[in-house]
Amino acid sequence: MLKETLTLQHISKSFPDGDRTLTVLDDISLAVKEGEFVAIIGPSGSGKSTLLSVIGALLTPTNGKVVLDGEDISDFKPAQLTATRASNIGFIFQSPNLIPYLTVKNQLLLVGKFNHTNKRANLSKMNELVQELGLQHRLNNYPNSLSGGEKQRVAIGRAFMNNPNIILADEPTASLDYERGRTVVEKIADEVKSRRKAAIMVTHDERMLDVCDRVLHIEDGKLIEDKSSQIKNHPTPCQT
C-alpha cells in the first residue's frame, strides 16, 4: 500500500493588507502519495505559489497542519524548517538560478556539502544523476555555455541530490519551448515513478498535464479536483 508523503489538513494562509486581512489560501486539504505526480493550475493571484511555499516549508500556515513524511512541520521553528527543506524537499523553479561560477558537477556536489553528505556518496549520487539527465558531457561546463533545457536539467539534478521525498516545481517549463519543456516534465515524472517520490507542479502549460497523475485547480484560495483535465483519472480525493 502506498503511503502518503504529504498531507495538508485544512490549511489557511492570511496576510495583513492595510486595515483588513487578505486570505490567500482558504481551508485546503490534500493528500499526495509516493509515486504520484500532481499538477496545480489556476489564474495568476489564485494562491498557487503561496501553496507551494507552505508545502515547501518557506511559509508557515495561519491555520491547519502540514504533515510531511509522517511529521507535522506546521509549528516548526525556523531552524527546523531550514533542515527540513535541506533534507526532504527538492525545489525546481521557473528560472534555474544556477551559480554562474560553478560547473555542472559542482552545482550538484554543493547540495551534498550543505547536507554534510559523505563525500563518496555525494560523488556517486552526482554521477548517477548526470547520467540519467544526459549531462555527462557537460560536467565541466559553466552555466553560460549551457542551453536553456540543459540549465533546467541541471536544476532538476540539484533538486534530486538530497534524495527528497517530495519535489516541488513552480512553472518549470515557462522559459522553455515545448520540446525542451516536455523533456523537463518527463524527467520529473521518471524520478517520481522510479524512486517512488511525490511531486507537485504548478503550471500554466496545459500541454504538460497528460504526464501527471492528477490535475487540481486553485482559484480564490480554494483547491478542487479538475475533472475536465484529469488525464489519468486517479481517484484520490481532494477536499476543499
Side-chain angles (χ1 to χ4, degrees):
M1 184 177 179
L2 296 177
K3 68 176 183 178
E4 290 182 355
T5 300
L6 171 74
T7 306
L8 304 181
Q9 300 176 3
H10 303 290
I11 292 293
S12 296
K13 182 63 180 177
S14 301
F15 298 94
D17 183 29
D19 59 356
R20 65 191 185 102
T21 299
L22 179 64
T23 299
V24 180
L25 301 178
D26 186 6
D27 194 25
I28 287 178
S29 294
L30 171 67
V32 183
K33 296 181 179 180
E34 61 183 8
E36 187 175 24
F37 189 8
V38 175
I40 298 178
I41 60 174
S44 297
S46 59
K48 300 188 300 297
S49 294
T50 301
L51 180 59
L52 274 196
S53 294
V54 169
I55 295 170
L58 294 169
L59 289 175
T60 55
T62 303
N63 295 296
K65 289 185 178 183
V66 180
V67 181
L68 183 59
D69 204 29
E71 189 169 30
D72 183 0
I73 68 170
S74 311
D75 296 320
F76 272 17
K77 303 298 183 185
Q80 292 174 294
L81 292 174
T82 298
T84 297
R85 290 194 300 270
S87 63
N88 212 12
I89 302 170
F91 293 94
I92 304 168
F93 300 104
Q94 178 176 340
S95 172
N97 295 317
L98 303 181
I99 300 171
Y101 53 84
L102 292 183
T103 63
V104 169
K105 175 181 178 180
N106 289 326
Q107 302 274 351
L108 302 189
L109 290 177
L110 184 63
V111 177
K113 290 178 181 178
F114 278 139
N115 289 331
H116 307 292
T117 305
N118 174 276
K119 187 174 181 180
R120 181 175 294 179
N122 197 29
L123 187 62
S124 175
K125 181 67 173 178
M126 183 276 298
N127 284 323
E128 178 185 356
L129 284 171
V130 296
Q131 289 287 336
E132 290 179 0
L133 294 167
L135 292 167
Q136 61 271 28
H137 64 299
R138 293 296 206 181
L139 267 184
N140 297 312
N141 285 68
Y142 292 91
N144 64 358
S145 65
L146 302 176
S147 69
E150 287 170 338
K151 289 177 183 178
Q152 197 63 298
R153 278 185 277 156
V154 176
I156 291 173
R158 183 179 57 191
F160 293 166
M161 274 297 293
N162 63 347
N163 195 30
N165 284 323
I166 188 162
I167 299 157
L168 304 178
D170 192 358
E171 299 283 2
T173 67
S175 60
L176 303 175
D177 60 35
Y178 172 75
E179 185 175 343
R180 289 173 176 169
R182 184 81 180 186
T183 298
V184 163
V185 175
E186 288 176 346
K187 291 293 184 184
I188 298 171
D190 287 344
E191 179 75 3
V192 169
K193 300 306 177 186
S194 63
R195 301 183 189 279
R196 295 177 71 173
K197 307 296 183 185
I200 298 175
M201 176 178 68
V202 163
T203 184
H204 282 101
D205 193 344
E206 296 194 4
R207 297 174 300 176
M208 306 297 169
L209 298 181
D210 64 299
V211 181
C212 302
D213 298 305
R214 272 196 293 159
V215 178
L216 309 178
H217 185 87
I218 188 169
E219 190 163 359
D220 297 327
K222 291 185 177 292
L223 194 66
I224 61 172
E225 196 92 26
D226 191 333
K227 301 298 185 181
S228 63
S229 300
Q230 193 176 345
I231 304 299
K232 296 185 181 179
N233 199 31
H234 285 238
T236 308
C238 170
Q239 297 121 22
T240 57

